[in-house]
Amino acid sequence: MALNIAAVGALCLCVIVSLFAITSAGDPSKFFDWKVTYGDISPLGVRQQGILINGQFPGPDINTITNENLIINVFNGLDEPFLLSWSGVQQRRNSYQDGVFGTTCPIPPGKNFTYKIQVKDQIGSFFYFPSLAFHRAAGAFGGIRVLSQPLIPVPFPKPADDYTVLIGDWYKTNHKDLRNQLDSGKILSFPDGILINGRGPNGTSFNVVKGKTYRLRISNVGLQNSLNFRIQNHKLTLVEVEGKHTIQTTYTSLDLHVGQSYSVLVTADQPDKDYYIVVSSRFTSQVLTTTGILHYSNSKSPVSGPPPAGPTTDINFSLEQARSIRINLTASGPRPNPQGTYHYGLINVTRTIILSNSQGIVNGKQRYAINGVSYVAPDTPLKLADHFKIEGVYRNGSIQDKPTSGPIHLDTSVTQSDFKAFLEIVFQNYENTIQSYHLDGYSFYVVGMDGGQWTPDSRKHYNLHDAIARCTIQVYPKSWTAVYFAPDNVGMWNLRSEFWARQYLGQQFYLRVYATSSVSKYEYPIPKNVLLCGKATGRSLGNVTTA
Ligand SMILES: *[C@@H]1O[C@H](CO)[C@@H](O)[C@H](O)[C@H]1NC(C)=O
Ligand SMILES: *[C@@H]1O[C@H](CO)[C@@H](O)[C@H](O)[C@H]1NC(C)=O
Ligand SMILES: *[C@@H]1O[C@H](CO)[C@@H](O)[C@H](O)[C@H]1NC(C)=O
Ligand SMILES: *[C@@H]1O[C@H](CO)[C@@H](O)[C@H](O)[C@H]1NC(C)=O
Ligand SMILES: *[C@@H]1O[C@H](CO)[C@@H](O)[C@H](O)[C@H]1NC(C)=O
Ligand SMILES: *[C@@H]1O[C@H](CO)[C@@H](O)[C@H](O)[C@H]1NC(C)=O
Ligand SMILES: *[C@@H]1O[C@H](CO)[C@@H](O)[C@H](O)[C@H]1NC(C)=O
């Protein structure tokens, strides 16, 4: 079956000049009307309740161009509150639109909320997902592709076609039952399978013509498993990672940790037939595998032979591959200047934050923590507490800059940073399981990664030249990963585990980035259509100035 990637038909999509507050005058806008509903799906051969967007599972792709304004009206047809978030789409100066509960009130059942976001400074592949209540286990995710302005070149010839490939582990269990498992204090069970674009084994096929080259935008939208992606007899040339063009390196298989997105080029350079696309779980004793089909237009024979085997528990392979992923300094970024014009390696670090994940039992229930604090969401989004100056919602310093000893405790963990700082974050993983971390609002430079314990001496081996900048990074078992970034995007930003049960049970916190001078200059005003909840209920917006 041919996959119709341009899901545009299902969207109300019209380009007009924007009239909305946050949008920049002159930049075009795209409008989307999305209805979120339950619907029957059976990706693994068993009928279950999925969450659909405009009747689709996965949801429709968002195709956009840098600087474009996206006006996405989301109507919640579920029986529970709902939020969409935009993984990796940076929401410059606009964390109100981030769609996580620390910044945005949930959309009540039967109500709608219109997100207004502008995509800037990033060309590449991302995805959206439902951020609340374990909805991600039921769907409502989809691809986002940000194209460059027509006159700004990308460092490879235009591919013959461009395919979104959403891969992820999957449960046959209803998301409410999975959530109940976690709420009752249990750990998340092992998944039942792996999906490619919402379908199980042999369910998805991608059409190619011999001799042509295709772009595959692959995102791991699953709940917990690192996945390996490969195509029988074909090579994968990595060209882009979460909005940055990479040194073009060719791999036989690629590891994607939860929440990560990669673009690869694949040339149909083999005899006309069908080939297996294989996705399998990494670092698990039981290996889950699924297949899709790469279908040559003149193919006369179906897939044959054993699907190619991939790496399983080997960490070195993955670590070496991660280190080989570097930014192409001379490729152009979103503007005509090359990606390498920002010399992150020459900036002095003003603060080092060392974050260590842990797990334990609190009040008889399973919890996960960062630096000993397991995040508990308050009834009021932190960002709204800030805006309305509501006391008692969170405290600065409720999470320390260094790992602490002692048992895990519950708190609404927030740390703050001046927007003029330059931060080093070291993710130190003392646990024996792989971690995947995502920071909203930013790309960070992945300067180092190694086994064992990080020490200041580890800095001697940092890549201060051409490290990749991205927004989601893995930390291997009993290993560390270090990142650098300038917290120049004012707002309230979620740093979280992408292992969704860990995120749900507390392995996350917020980074509040503030400007000491007049805030309005660095941040968009609160949106006129903001939803209010918790202690912000009934507050008056006063005079909202329009940008
Ligand atoms: C709900 O949708 C309507 C348009 O149908 C829009 O005017 C309104 O602002 C939306 N509500 C919110 C809270 O965004
Ligand atoms: C980096 O980008 C430049 C400019 O587009 C391109 O010519 C070059 O081939 C790329 N280098 C690598 C190693 O990918
Ligand atoms: C996929 O299709 C091939 C060819 O028809 C078949 O041999 C194989 O068993 C199928 N695999 C699964 C898991 O259904
Ligand atoms: C991984 O590589 C390190 C150093 O390169 C080596 O000491 C270690 O034995 C390797 N481990 C495995 C499992 O191959
Ligand atoms: C970084 O710190 C060093 C030593 O204190 C100083 O010489 C240098 O000028 C600083 N660099 C920048 C870019 O501020
Ligand atoms: C918040 O806490 C951090 C770390 O404890 C500290 O560096 C920062 O100065 C504090 N900010 C404010 C505004 O109190
Ligand atoms: C709202 O704007 C009006 C007119 O500019 C001004 O007189 C009034 O003081 C403002 N109110 C608030 C609460 O800022």
Side-chain angles (χ1 to χ4, degrees):
M1 187 215 81
L3 201 82
N4 182 9
I5 288 304
V8 169
L11 312 174
C12 158
L13 191 146
C14 31
V15 178
I16 65 154
V17 173
S18 163
L19 301 170
F20 285 89
I22 71 119
T23 56
S24 301
D27 290 330
S29 294
K30 257 187 197 145
F31 287 76
F32 301 80
D33 254 316
W34 281 3
K35 184 155 194 209
V36 179
T37 57
Y38 292 123
D40 281 349
I41 55 173
S42 34
L44 291 177
V46 177
R47 198 165 71 163
Q48 65 184 117
Q49 185 189 57
I51 300 180
L52 318 184
I53 295 181
N54 290 350
Q56 297 179 53
F57 169 76
D61 275 356
I62 294 179
N63 289 286
T64 180
I65 296 182
T66 50
N67 288 340
E68 201 162 52
N69 300 300
L70 304 177
I71 317 294
I72 307 170
N73 194 1
V74 177
F75 176 81
N76 178 12
L78 308 182
D79 57 355
E80 7 182 71
F82 181 83
L83 274 181
L84 279 182
S85 189
W86 326 92
S87 190
V89 177
Q90 280 170 22
Q91 321 286 335
R92 294 299 296 179
R93 303 185 284 160
N94 204 4
S95 60
Y96 288 113
Q97 305 286 347
D98 205 32
V100 289
F101 191 29
T103 66
T104 319
C105 293
I107 309 171
K111 295 279 194 294
N112 70 292
F113 176 70
T114 307
Y115 292 90
K116 302 176 190 109
I117 63 188
Q118 188 174 26
V119 288
K120 275 202 173 269
D121 293 356
Q122 37 187 176
I123 298 161
S125 315
F126 309 94
F127 63 93
Y128 62 86
F129 68 95
S131 68
L132 285 181
F134 233 66
H135 291 150
R136 187 161 159 173
F141 43 72
I144 302 176
R145 49 177 75 177
V146 182
L147 306 179
S148 61
Q149 296 285 340
L151 293 176
I152 299 177
V154 293
F156 47 87
K158 190 173 162 36
D161 212 337
D162 192 330
Y163 293 118
T164 294
V165 186
L166 304 175
I167 60 176
D169 48 19
W170 191 259
Y171 293 78
K172 294 177 192 165
T173 310
N174 186 283
H175 77 275
K176 290 184 183 174
D177 296 329
L178 292 174
R179 196 170 72 206
N180 288 341
Q181 275 177 30
L182 300 175
D183 288 342
S184 69
K186 301 197 186 80
I187 60 166
L188 187 64
S189 48
F190 194 69
D192 296 308
I194 296 173
L195 305 187
I196 303 177
N197 285 348
R199 291 166 187 238
N202 286 352
T204 310
S205 104
F206 299 89
N207 287 347
V208 296
V209 172
K210 192 176 160 67
K212 299 209 157 149
T213 297
Y214 296 82
R215 180 177 187 161
L216 271 52
R217 298 172 188 260
I218 317 165
S219 296
N220 184 341
V221 298
L223 297 184
Q224 62 169 313
N225 282 104
S226 296
L227 299 174
N228 182 268
F229 181 93
R230 53 198 182 269
I231 305 179
Q232 190 178 30
N233 294 4
H234 289 74
K235 297 257 183 284
L236 312 170
T237 301
L238 184 70
V239 291
E240 178 258 331
V241 171
E242 294 156 22
K244 300 288 176 199
H245 290 121
T246 61
I247 297 284
Q248 293 174 17
T249 308
T250 296
Y251 302 94
T252 48
S253 78
L254 262 184
D255 279 347
L256 285 93
H257 308 279
V258 195
Q260 295 185 333
S261 298
Y262 287 152
S263 281
V264 297
L265 298 181
V266 176
T267 299
D269 56 4
Q270 296 296 307
D272 275 312
K273 66 183 276 304
D274 288 0
Y275 297 87
Y276 277 117
I277 294 170
V278 188
V279 183
S280 60
S281 64
R282 291 285 268 123
F283 319 119
T284 52
S285 46
Q286 179 195 343
V287 179
L288 292 173
T289 299
T290 197
T291 51
I293 313 280
L294 189 73
H295 173 74
Y296 278 56
S297 58
N298 288 325
S299 167
K300 292 186 182 61
S301 42
V303 284
S304 57
T312 54
T313 56
D314 172 39
I315 289 173
N316 272 14
F317 166 91
S318 198
L319 178 63
E320 292 299 320
Q321 183 172 84
R323 285 181 175 147
S324 72
I325 298 173
R326 288 172 295 139
I327 199 165
N328 180 336
L329 296 169
T330 59
S332 54
R335 280 154 293 189
N337 54 320
Q339 293 183 145
T341 43
Y342 179 71
H343 299 287
Y344 69 92
L346 299 178
I347 306 172
N348 290 332
V349 167
T350 58
R351 179 172 164 201
T352 296
I353 302 175
I354 301 175
L355 301 175
S356 168
N357 46 281
S358 62
Q359 58 172 305
I361 305 292
V362 181
N363 304 332
K365 291 181 175 178
Q366 176 71 35
R367 296 294 299 188
Y368 297 92
I370 300 177
N371 287 0
V373 196
S374 186
Y375 183 84
V376 190
D379 64 349
T380 312
L382 313 173
K383 186 68 201 152
L384 296 185
D386 252 13
H387 175 81
F388 294 111
K389 303 193 168 45
I390 302 167
E391 299 283 325
V393 174
Y394 71 89
R395 292 170 296 114
N396 180 35
S398 39
I399 178 167
Q400 300 300 309
D401 277 11
K402 301 268 178 312
T404 51
S405 52
I408 290 174
H409 69 277
L410 308 179
D411 204 344
T412 300
S413 27
V414 178
T415 192
Q416 311 200 52
S417 175
D418 186 296
F419 86 118
K420 289 181 185 138
F422 193 72
L423 302 185
E424 175 186 41
I425 294 185
V426 178
F427 296 99
Q428 177 73 59
N429 181 11
Y430 295 115
E431 293 188 73
N432 208 11
T433 48
I434 187 158
Q435 308 291 318
S436 182
Y437 282 101
H438 174 89
L439 174 60
D440 279 352
Y442 291 96
S443 272
F444 43 58
Y445 288 89
V446 184
V447 292
M449 193 183 271
D450 209 348
Q453 161 107 38
W454 179 91
T455 68
D457 260 4
S458 307
R459 293 187 179 123
K460 289 181 184 147
H461 305 289
Y462 277 5
N463 177 354
L464 296 181
H465 178 60
D466 62 355
I468 190 69
R470 61 187 309 175
C471 53
T472 310
I473 194 62
Q474 72 271 26
V475 191
Y476 293 99
K478 302 210 180 284
S479 300
W480 58 267
T481 297
V483 304
Y484 273 5
F485 68 102
D488 56 2
N489 190 12
V490 169
M492 187 69 77
W493 303 109
N494 191 211
L495 192 155
R496 60 173 174 267
S497 171
E498 283 290 306
F499 182 154
W500 218 236
R502 283 178 173 260
Q503 178 274 158
Y504 185 78
L505 295 179
Q507 195 175 324
Q508 59 168 311
F509 68 90
Y510 282 82
L511 174 66
R512 177 181 184 268
V513 177
Y514 61 91
T516 36
S517 44
S518 156
V519 167
S520 62
K521 193 168 138 204
Y522 299 105
E523 207 174 9
Y524 286 113
I526 190 165
K528 280 181 180 165
N529 64 335
V530 68
L531 297 172
L532 299 176
C533 57
K535 298 186 177 67
T537 307
R539 296 278 177 142
S540 158
L541 293 186
N543 291 346
V544 178
T545 49
T546 54

